[in-house]
Amino acid sequence: MMRYISKGDLEIVAVNSGILMVGIGIMCLVPIVIDLLYFEFNTLSFVVPSVMSIGFGYFLMHYFKKSRSKKVKMKHGMMISSLAWFWAGIIGGLVFSLATNIPIIDGIFESVSALTGTGITIYQNVEILPQSILFFRGFEQWIGGLGVIVVVLMFITGSGSISSKLYYSEAREEKLRPSVKATIRETLKIYLVFTVLGTAMLILAGMPAFDSLCNTFSLISTGGMAVKNLNIGYYHNDMIYLVSIVIMIMGSVSFLAYYRIIKTRGKSLIGDVQFQALLTIIAAATLVLYFLSDIIPMELLFTVTSVITTTGASVASVEAMANWPSFVLLSFMAMMLVGGSSGSTVGAIKLIRIITFLKGIFGGVREIISPSRSVFTVKINGIKIPEKAISAAGNFIALYLMFILLTWALFCLFGYDPFRSLFAAISLQGNNGLELGIVNHTIHPILKIVSMFDMWTGRLEIYPILIVFRAVFEVFRR
């Protein structure tokens, strides 16, 4: 059997993972500011996991320092990225476990859910949590929306090759500037501006300042974890609902389209096929479902936006949504599969893949029915799409649906309602977070692990995780 992963490969992964572990440890120290501000005295809950991450990271950097100068390939980047997200979930889970005395598996679940932008909480009552923990949940979502690797790369120095491989390994393809470092800087600037803008808009709409900051973290990252048990519905304020809808849409549009707004006088956004599709789906789905149900219009518009942007924020309770017509919930499932724009903070399959796949199908049909069997070129935004890209989109969609099918089968195996189980499986894999009362602290530990795996693979778009499994298989086989 051919070996694809050598000892040298693992050493390259180890030394670069060490750098990211140090960065993850430093990020855990940020909420201490809130802890001290509110006199909560949970400092050790942040310091202990932080020291663990920094210490282990420095150990790997020192022990494998000879591999620091070796060239990083895409397979290395994908393994490093996968392990960094896995490690960030564990370290964040330790914070939750130490600060709130929940089981470690529940803490890791909460952390993974926040980082991946899924937003399903394991806590029964989030309103009794310390402010520093509420901030940490929001901060994890904010970091995860931009990308753990992207944020850490912003503050470390290294070769352009390493930065490039790690950047692309985190399910990102679009470059705003010629270099990856410059792209990350511009992306972070846009993200920060939108975060400040979103917080200000929510404050002006009547939301308290602390809630506004944490909820903006959640909404702009399309994460969905709020600081109230009833999520955004707690505020009973249509203006807050409308502002939240705007922030969710802001987070689900490609950073590249934003970056080019000034240069193109807005045409990059208005003419972006993903942005057009996103708004069309929101408008059409809201209108159709309004006439087919008796759901309150604002609740329907908010939920449709939350579903397609994979945010998972809500204004209706879980119990109320579970009783909505089956056709409405099936429509939500379809939209949860699609997601928002590639190059944004959203999860799911993403609009560009769906558009590419559908255009490929229509192109194939036209070739078959054409009298001369002419070859038709598939174009998106005037750019020719190669056959390889169409095939890749189809392959990913098939693999994505396979993961959902397996999760659905496991939930059914444990005795859960098939319809609600399918809703949960699609939500978990797409990092959406809306669910119908199945995924909570009471589910079997095996299902908690499966759910975390879905969230992890969904955020990194499956392939990096498969490469890690291949590496583990080869190591144990030897």
Side-chain angles (χ1 to χ4, degrees):
M1 178 179 174
M2 184 180 293
R3 292 182 178 180
Y4 295 97
I5 307 296
S6 66
K7 181 182 177 182
D9 292 327
L10 297 178
E11 290 175 352
I12 292 171
V13 170
V15 70
N16 287 286
S17 294
I19 299 170
L20 296 174
M21 287 174 178
V22 171
I24 290 165
I26 293 171
M27 286 191 291
C28 285
L29 298 175
V30 174
I32 291 177
V33 176
I34 305 298
D35 180 72
L36 296 175
L37 190 64
Y38 284 92
F39 301 103
E40 291 175 341
F41 309 108
N42 280 320
T43 305
L44 283 178
S45 300
F46 299 102
V47 171
V48 172
S50 175
V51 170
M52 284 179 57
S53 188
I54 293 171
F56 194 48
Y58 269 119
F59 168 76
L60 291 178
M61 289 168 63
H62 176 74
Y63 192 81
F64 297 105
K65 60 183 178 181
K66 292 181 180 178
S67 299
R68 181 76 186 273
S69 59
K70 292 181 180 179
K71 184 179 179 181
V72 175
K73 299 178 181 178
M74 183 54 74
K75 64 179 178 180
H76 302 140
M78 287 191 170
M79 285 191 283
I80 294 164
S81 179
S82 300
L83 294 173
W85 278 82
F86 181 76
W87 182 256
I90 292 174
I91 293 299
L94 284 174
V95 172
F96 288 121
S97 184
L98 290 171
T100 62
N101 296 313
I102 60 174
I104 185 62
I105 189 171
D106 286 358
I108 295 174
F109 183 101
E110 189 78 9
S111 179
V112 171
S113 180
L115 282 167
T116 58
T118 307
I120 297 176
T121 185
I122 213 75
Y123 291 108
Q124 292 176 274
N125 184 2
V126 301
E127 293 176 28
I128 63 172
L129 296 177
Q131 302 292 87
S132 55
I133 290 299
L134 290 175
F135 175 85
F136 184 59
R137 289 163 85 237
F139 186 62
E140 277 201 310
Q141 289 174 93
W142 190 83
I143 292 293
L146 193 58
V148 172
I149 307 297
V150 168
V151 174
V152 173
L153 284 176
M154 179 66 195
F155 300 101
I156 63 173
T157 56
S159 70
S161 173
I162 295 174
S163 298
S164 178
K165 297 298 187 299
L166 290 175
Y167 179 79
Y168 292 124
S169 71
E170 205 171 47
R172 295 196 175 276
E173 298 177 358
E174 296 173 314
K175 287 175 68 175
L176 279 58
R177 297 285 297 274
S179 75
V180 167
K181 282 281 189 179
T183 292
I184 292 172
R185 281 195 297 270
E186 295 300 330
T187 302
L188 186 58
K189 285 179 187 177
I190 295 169
Y191 203 48
L192 284 170
V193 168
F194 284 168
T195 302
V196 173
L197 183 61
T199 304
M201 289 193 299
L202 286 175
I203 291 173
L204 290 173
M207 187 182 288
F210 180 80
D211 293 15
S212 296
L213 177 62
C214 292
N215 286 330
T216 298
F217 281 162
S218 171
L219 294 167
I220 198 66
S221 66
T222 60
M225 279 183 178
V227 295
K228 302 295 182 183
N229 294 327
L230 295 177
N231 210 279
I232 305 300
Y234 167 87
Y235 302 98
H236 300 290
N237 184 319
D238 284 351
M239 185 55 68
I240 287 177
Y241 297 166
L242 287 172
V243 170
S244 299
I245 288 169
V246 170
I247 298 173
M248 286 189 283
I249 292 173
M250 286 163 58
S252 61
V253 176
S254 167
F255 284 105
L256 182 61
Y258 287 132
Y259 180 70
R260 292 176 176 172
I261 280 180
I262 296 176
K263 187 176 179 180
T264 63
R265 297 181 181 178
K267 292 180 181 178
S268 64
L269 183 61
I270 298 171
D272 182 64
V273 67
Q274 294 187 94
F275 182 66
Q276 293 171 354
L278 180 70
L279 293 186
T280 300
I281 291 171
I282 292 173
T286 303
L287 192 62
V288 170
L289 296 179
Y290 170 73
F291 286 111
L292 295 176
S293 69
D294 57 358
I295 301 170
I296 298 170
M298 180 57 76
E299 288 189 5
L300 187 58
L301 174 61
F302 188 100
T303 308
V304 166
T305 305
S306 180
V307 166
I308 191 64
T309 61
T310 71
T311 305
S314 62
V315 292
S317 67
V318 172
E319 294 76 15
M321 197 170 71
N323 289 316
W324 285 356
S326 297
F327 178 78
V328 172
L329 298 178
L330 280 169
S331 300
F332 289 167
M333 288 188 212
M335 287 186 280
M336 281 197 291
L337 286 171
V338 176
S341 302
S342 176
S344 67
T345 65
V346 302
I349 294 171
K350 296 186 175 66
L351 283 164
I352 194 64
R353 283 198 184 95
I354 300 293
I355 294 168
T356 300
F357 183 62
L358 292 177
K359 287 211 170 199
I361 292 174
F362 294 148
V365 171
R366 288 173 65 191
E367 286 181 16
I368 293 171
I369 65 176
S370 171
S372 58
R373 295 299 298 271
S374 303
V375 177
F376 291 92
T377 302
V378 176
K379 291 184 178 181
I380 298 177
N381 281 341
I383 300 173
K384 181 181 177 181
I385 305 301
E387 281 290 332
K388 187 177 180 181
I390 297 171
S391 176
N395 291 341
F396 179 82
I397 292 170
L399 187 60
Y400 188 90
L401 295 177
M402 283 173 59
F403 272 67
I404 289 173
L405 183 62
L406 288 171
T407 303
W408 182 27
L410 281 171
F411 271 93
C412 291
L413 181 65
F414 277 82
Y416 289 101
D417 173 72
F419 186 84
R420 295 190 180 195
S421 295
L422 179 58
F423 196 98
I426 294 173
S427 182
L428 287 164
Q429 191 64 46
N431 303 132
N432 189 292
L434 285 178
E435 55 95 30
L436 304 178
I438 285 182
V439 187
N440 53 49
H441 71 286
T442 64
I443 64 171
H444 195 281
I446 291 177
L447 291 181
K448 288 179 183 177
I449 293 170
V450 169
S451 297
M452 286 188 277
F453 178 76
D454 286 338
M455 293 186 281
W456 183 37
T457 55
R459 179 58 182 83
L460 291 175
E461 299 193 343
I462 302 175
Y463 286 106
I465 313 301
L466 295 181
I467 291 172
V468 169
F469 282 171
R470 173 71 193 206
V472 171
F473 171 75
E474 287 198 20
V475 169
F476 277 95
R477 192 173 183 275
R478 292 171 202 171

